[in-house]
């Protein structure tokens, strides 16, 4: 059949492009009619032969002697022949209909595949167009961030923020650019110029070149101050943007990303009520908190990681009041508290791990009213200055590890703290001076271990306190009338 079809196509080509489809259809109809007539004649002849009305071929008598055909026999033969032909025609029509249906289905599937391919190509073209547009938006925003005018830079911040919210595929790179802007060198607030003469003074030959007048110095100071304030506003806008997208009720969440804020200088900024779940990392390694107020108040750390190792707290106020540490890791290893105030008042450490292998050389750190009720807090700190307050803190469960801490100078105030459960370990700590004060502390459960501690006996400890383990030399000092010997039965010293 394929050969006939190919032959027919060649014949059509030789005809010079003439349309032979109608003649072909007519020939097919006439051929089918002739075939039907031949089939009817053959069937009638066979029936008459079987009835004995047609002599056998080649003289071999295969049946009864031929006789005249009766009208009824001829009519019956014709009826049966036409019935057979009609049946065969019906079967042929069914086959043709089935074949036509197959061709229609195939054509439909081909059309559907064509439509799907066209739709896919259109979608790809649309996505390429969107990607091109997003790339152009990104390039424009980055260019705006490098502009001299603060208003243009703020526009770049908002453009990157919208792009990160609307295009998840661009979110990672937008966050990286915003964090990189915060990591750029940042000049502190300029100092006011010293008093200078309002006018130039006549100088003799050989004198050094005259400095700027007071008016010139004031003008230069104002220019620097305006540049500083503009830069500061852009930076604080980025910090607020990060805050808004790390809160639990954020419209577009940026959780699950890494925020590289290493070495960033903070002279304030609001990161209050942020949520740091599993998969989210705030890397503040080597950050400097030099002034203003930086707030992590009411933040929740439930599984992510916050790196504050090697951070420097030299001024201003850093606020972790009401923060909840329920999982993950918060690492202050190597940080130095040299000035300013850090508040952990009312914070709850109920899970995860916190590392405070830090140096307290100045300033004040408050853990007033903090609750340690789970997880592990490592506190092998060095106290050489400043004040660290744990008064009214509650140690209810978990592990608070002060082993290896060095109390050299300054103040570590545990007055009024409640040790009701868990493990507070001062083993191996060194108390070089009267820096630690446990006056009015309550020992009502758990275990407070000063085993292997060295140095002078801290204020406020007593041999009879529940769960309190002291080294032998301190017990001997208390027994002989050391710093504190009065103990009331209610657990307070």
């Amino acid at each position: 059949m394929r050969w006939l079809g190919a032959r027919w196509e060649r014949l059509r080509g030789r005809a010079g492009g003439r349309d032979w489809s109608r003649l072909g259809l007519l020939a097919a109809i006439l051929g089918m009619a002739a075939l039907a007539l031949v089939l009817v004649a053959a069937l009638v002849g066979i029936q008459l032969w079987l009835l004995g009305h047609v002599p056998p071929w080649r003289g071999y008598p295969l049946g009864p002697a031929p006789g005249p055909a009766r009208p009824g026999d001829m009519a019956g033969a014709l009826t049966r022949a036409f019935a057979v032909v009609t049946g065969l025609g019906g079967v042929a029509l069914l086959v043709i209909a089935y074949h036509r249906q197959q061709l229609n289905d195939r054509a439909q599937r081909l059309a559907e595949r064509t439509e799907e391919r066209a739709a896919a190509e259109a979608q790809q073209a649309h996505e390429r167009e969107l990607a091109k547009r997003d790339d152009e938006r990104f390039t424009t925003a980055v260019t705006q961030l490098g502009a001299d005018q603060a208003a243009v830079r703020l526009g770049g911040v908002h453009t990157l923020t919208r792009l990160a919210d609307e295009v998840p595929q661009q979110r990672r790179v937008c966050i990286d650019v915003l964090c990189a802007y915060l990591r750029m060198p940042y000049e502190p607030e300029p100092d006011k110029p010293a008093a200078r003469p309002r006018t130039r003074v006549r100088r003799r030959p050989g004198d050094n070149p005259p400095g700027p007048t007071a008016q010139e110095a004031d003008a230069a100071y104002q220019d620097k101050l305006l540049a500083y304030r503009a830069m500061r506003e852009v930076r604080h806008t980025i910090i607020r943007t990060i805050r808004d997208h790390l809160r639990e009720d954020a419209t577009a969440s940026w959780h699950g990303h890494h925020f590289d804020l290493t070495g960033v200088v903070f002279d304030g900024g609001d990161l209050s009520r942020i949520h740091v779940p599993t998969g989210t990392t705030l890397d503040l390694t080597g950050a400097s908190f030099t002034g203003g107020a930086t707030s992590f108040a009411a933040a929740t750390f439930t599984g992510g990681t916050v790196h504050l190792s090697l951070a420097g707290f030299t001024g201003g106020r850093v606020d972790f009041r009401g923060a909840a540490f329920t999982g993950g890791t918060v690492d202050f290893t190597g940080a130095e508290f040299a000035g300013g105030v850090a508040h952990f008042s009312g914070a709850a450490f109920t899970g995860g791990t916190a590392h405070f292998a830090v140096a307290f050389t100045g300033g004040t750190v408050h853990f007033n009213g903090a609750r340690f009720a789970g997880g592990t807090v490592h506190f092998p700190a060095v106290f050489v200055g400043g004040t660290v307050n744990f008064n009214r803190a509650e140690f209810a469960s978990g592990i608070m590890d002060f082993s290896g801490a060095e109390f050299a100078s300054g103040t570590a105030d545990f007055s009024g703290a409640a040790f009701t459960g868990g493990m507070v370990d001062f083993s191996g700590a060194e108390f070089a001076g009267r820096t630690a004060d446990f006056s009015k502390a309550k020992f009502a459960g758990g275990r407070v271990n000063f085993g292997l501690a060295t140095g002078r006996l801290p204020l406020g400890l007593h041999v009879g306190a529940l769960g309190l383990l002291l080294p032998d030399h301190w017990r001997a000092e208390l027994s002989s009338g050391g710093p504190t010997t009065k103990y009331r039965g209610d657990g307070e010293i």
Side-chain angles (χ1 to χ4, degrees):
M1 296 299 294
R2 293 182 179 176
W3 178 83
L4 289 175
R7 183 65 177 172
W8 174 250
E9 291 296 329
R10 286 197 295 272
L11 289 174
R12 290 185 60 186
R14 292 176 184 175
R18 295 173 60 185
D19 187 7
W20 293 86
S21 57
R22 294 184 178 180
L23 294 178
L25 179 60
L26 179 60
I29 293 173
L30 293 176
M32 292 296 294
L35 180 60
L37 291 176
V38 172
L39 183 58
V40 169
L43 290 174
V44 170
I46 292 172
Q47 292 179 76
L48 294 176
W49 175 66
L50 291 176
L51 293 174
H53 301 297
V54 178
W57 291 290
R58 298 184 182 180
Y60 294 98
L62 298 177
R70 291 174 294 179
D73 295 337
M74 182 62 72
L78 288 173
T79 301
R80 287 188 291 271
F82 280 112
V84 171
V85 172
T86 302
L88 292 175
V91 172
L93 290 176
L94 290 176
V95 171
I96 293 172
Y98 173 76
H99 183 63
R100 181 180 299 170
Q101 183 64 35
Q102 291 293 318
L103 292 177
N104 292 337
D105 292 343
R106 186 180 304 171
Q108 183 177 358
R109 288 194 298 269
L110 180 60
E112 291 175 353
R113 285 196 296 269
T114 303
E115 292 178 0
E116 291 174 357
R117 188 181 301 109
E121 292 175 353
Q123 180 65 25
Q124 292 174 359
H126 179 65
E127 291 176 355
R128 287 193 297 268
E129 185 64 27
L130 289 179
K132 180 180 178 181
R133 187 191 66 181
D134 295 337
D135 291 341
E136 292 174 352
R137 292 172 62 190
F138 177 78
T139 302
T140 301
V142 172
T143 304
Q144 289 175 326
L145 277 180
D148 294 332
Q149 297 82 9
V152 178
R153 281 178 276 162
L154 286 172
V157 172
H158 293 301
T159 300
L160 282 175
T161 302
R162 287 195 302 272
L163 184 61
D165 292 344
E166 296 170 3
V167 187
Q169 297 84 353
Q170 295 276 3
R171 185 169 298 162
R172 172 71 270 162
V173 67
C174 291
I175 292 174
D176 288 343
V177 171
L178 293 174
C179 292
Y181 188 89
L182 293 177
R183 294 197 305 271
M184 292 174 62
Y186 182 47
E187 296 293 333
E189 183 174 0
D191 296 327
K192 291 184 178 180
R196 293 178 180 272
R198 304 296 298 179
T199 60
R200 294 188 183 277
V201 179
R202 181 178 297 177
R203 306 182 69 85
R204 291 175 298 181
D207 289 345
N208 293 327
T213 65
Q215 292 176 341
E216 293 171 341
D218 288 342
Y221 166 73
Q222 291 297 329
D223 291 341
K224 291 181 179 179
L225 183 61
L226 289 175
Y228 161 77
R229 289 177 177 174
M231 184 74 166
R232 185 173 185 267
E233 180 59 30
V234 176
R235 292 168 60 85
H236 284 206
T237 299
I238 295 176
I239 293 172
R240 289 193 299 270
T241 298
I242 294 174
R243 174 205 65 190
D244 293 341
H245 289 82
L246 287 182
R247 287 181 170 176
E248 289 189 283
D249 57 355
T251 303
S253 173
W254 288 1
H255 293 126
H257 290 283
H258 179 89
F259 295 82
D260 185 0
L261 301 173
T262 55
V264 171
V265 177
F266 287 89
D267 59 350
D270 186 4
L271 290 167
S272 61
R273 295 198 299 112
I274 63 171
H275 177 56
V276 185
T278 301
T280 303
T281 301
L282 281 180
D283 192 352
L284 294 155
T285 302
S288 298
F289 298 87
T290 60
T294 304
S295 177
F296 294 86
T300 55
F301 304 91
T302 60
T305 302
V306 179
H307 294 287
L308 281 157
S309 53
L310 303 177
F313 300 84
T314 58
R317 185 175 72 253
V318 181
D319 190 358
F320 283 88
R321 282 182 289 191
F325 301 86
T326 62
T329 301
V330 179
D331 187 6
F332 286 86
T333 301
E336 180 179 2
F337 292 83
V341 179
H343 279 285
F344 291 85
S345 304
F349 296 83
T350 59
T353 304
H355 297 276
F356 285 91
V358 301
F360 296 98
T361 60
T364 303
V365 181
H366 293 285
F367 287 89
N368 307 59
R371 187 170 186 266
F372 300 89
T376 301
V377 180
H378 298 281
F379 222 106
V382 177
F383 299 82
V384 294
T387 301
V388 182
N389 289 321
F390 285 92
N391 49 334
R392 299 188 308 280
E394 180 184 2
F395 301 88
S397 62
I399 298 174
M400 186 72 175
D401 184 10
F402 287 92
S403 60
E406 181 181 348
F407 298 85
S409 61
T411 301
D413 185 5
F414 291 86
S415 61
F419 299 88
T420 60
M423 175 70 176
V424 182
D425 188 6
F426 288 91
S427 62
E430 180 180 354
F431 296 85
R434 299 291 187 192
T435 60
D437 184 2
F438 291 84
S439 300
K440 296 185 178 181
K442 182 178 181 179
F443 298 86
R447 185 179 180 86
V448 183
N449 180 22
F450 285 88
L452 302 179
T454 60
R456 302 181 65 181
L457 174 66
L459 297 173
L461 297 181
H462 194 280
V463 176
L466 180 63
L468 179 61
L469 178 63
L470 301 175
D472 292 339
H473 62 285
W474 285 2
R475 294 174 65 87
E477 182 179 351
L478 288 172
S479 299
S480 61
T484 55
T485 58
K486 187 178 179 180
Y487 178 77
R488 300 201 305 265
D490 58 1
E492 293 186 359
I493 298 175

